[in-house]
Amino acid sequence: MGWTCQHDYKGYCKLLKKECSPGIKGCVLKSSEYIFSTGSYEEDKKAQEEKKEEIDFAALARSN
């Protein structure tokens, strides 16, 4: 499986203006459904749990 990014230009990230490294802070792929491993199972699991954010739909409806 491969991927493409609209900000990648020959290994250079035009968005962050530095060498492309998928998953770094500020990377648009990081906020997607994909998970980049840190190499530590505990840290990855903690990050995945933090990502599971509950949405209060009632509060959201009241705000509009």
Side-chain angles (χ1 to χ4, degrees):
M1 181 176 152
W3 61 275
T4 60
C5 177
Q6 64 185 8
H7 304 290
D8 180 40
Y9 178 74
K10 297 181 181 179
Y12 180 79
C13 179
K14 295 185 287 183
L15 177 67
L16 301 176
K17 297 177 177 49
K18 57 173 37 174
E19 186 177 330
C20 178
S21 180
I24 63 172
K25 187 174 182 178
C27 178
V28 294
L29 296 175
K30 187 156 180 104
S31 63
S32 69
E33 64 188 59
Y34 300 102
I35 299 171
F36 294 91
S37 176
T38 61
S40 168
Y41 175 77
E42 289 81 20
E43 287 183 33
D44 293 344
K45 188 173 181 180
K46 182 177 158 186
Q48 188 176 15
E49 288 173 358
E50 289 175 357
K51 191 172 183 177
K52 292 181 183 176
E53 186 177 303
E54 292 289 325
I55 299 173
D56 185 355
F57 289 104
L60 186 61
R62 286 190 297 268
S63 69
N64 289 327

